[in-house]
């Protein structure tokens, strides 16, 4: 069956960096669109980055220039490199298998696009 296992979350100081990983199995990773969502305290879960099957990417305005989503199709792995972290980046981060769409120009998937979630990994940024 389809499995997504998130890891890499931690507590860091403002300005620090983290790399999240998502190990996947049970589907043809290279042919699918993948995304990272986050849910801050008291906030809705929302996408922060998405990559399609040919590694085109799109980012939320709030993370543009600081976060980089990438994929290793040979290993069926998804990553999120997060630099210059801010306190407002605090939240639970979820890897997601999403239906493909035209994710360009800042367009991001919505929760309705999600076919499967990872279990989440906590990122806490302290100032």
């Amino acid at each position: 069956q389809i499995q997504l296992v998130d890891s890499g979350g931690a507590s860091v100081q403002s300005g620090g960096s983290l790399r999240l990983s998502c190990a996947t199995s049970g589907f043809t990773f290279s042919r699918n669109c993948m995304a990272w969502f986050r849910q801050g305290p008291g906030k809705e879960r929302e996408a922060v980055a998405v990559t399609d099957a040919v590694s085109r990417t799109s980012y939320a305005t709030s993370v543009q220039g600081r976060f980089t989503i990438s994929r290793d199709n040979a290993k069926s792995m998804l990553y999120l490199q997060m630099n210059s972290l801010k306190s407002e980046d605090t939240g639970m981060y979820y890897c997601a298998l999403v239906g493909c769409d035209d994710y360009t120009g800042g367009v991001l998937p919505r929760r309705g696009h999600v076919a499967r979630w990872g279990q989440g990994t906590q990122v806490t940024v302290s100032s």
Side-chain angles (χ1 to χ4, degrees):
Q1 71 276 26
I2 295 174
Q3 289 191 323
L4 307 176
V5 180
D6 307 324
S7 63
S11 294
V12 297
Q13 295 279 339
S14 178
S17 297
L18 280 175
R19 188 195 196 203
L20 305 184
S21 298
C22 176
T24 76
S25 61
F27 65 103
T28 307
F29 179 80
S30 62
R31 296 180 183 176
N32 281 274
C33 295
M34 300 292 299
W36 287 98
F37 283 70
R38 75 179 174 195
Q39 187 164 16
K43 297 182 180 180
E44 295 290 320
R45 192 178 301 186
E46 59 184 6
V48 295
V50 62
T51 178
D52 68 10
V54 293
S55 296
R56 289 176 298 191
T57 59
S58 188
Y59 297 91
T61 303
S62 60
V63 307
Q64 181 77 47
R66 299 187 299 120
F67 290 12
T68 302
I69 188 171
S70 62
R71 60 194 300 158
D72 185 334
N73 287 339
K75 297 181 179 179
S76 298
M77 294 288 295
L78 182 73
Y79 303 101
L80 185 68
Q81 178 67 42
M82 304 187 295
N83 298 328
S84 302
L85 283 162
K86 305 175 181 180
S87 57
E88 51 262 44
D89 295 319
T90 292
M92 188 71 80
Y93 283 71
Y94 300 88
C95 168
L97 169 62
V98 298
C100 286
D101 204 333
D102 183 13
Y103 298 126
T104 57
V107 175
L108 294 166
R110 300 181 179 180
R111 293 189 66 168
H113 286 94
V114 177
R116 192 62 58 96
W117 295 102
Q119 85 284 3
T121 186
Q122 177 68 36
V123 172
T124 302
V125 184
S126 57
S127 56

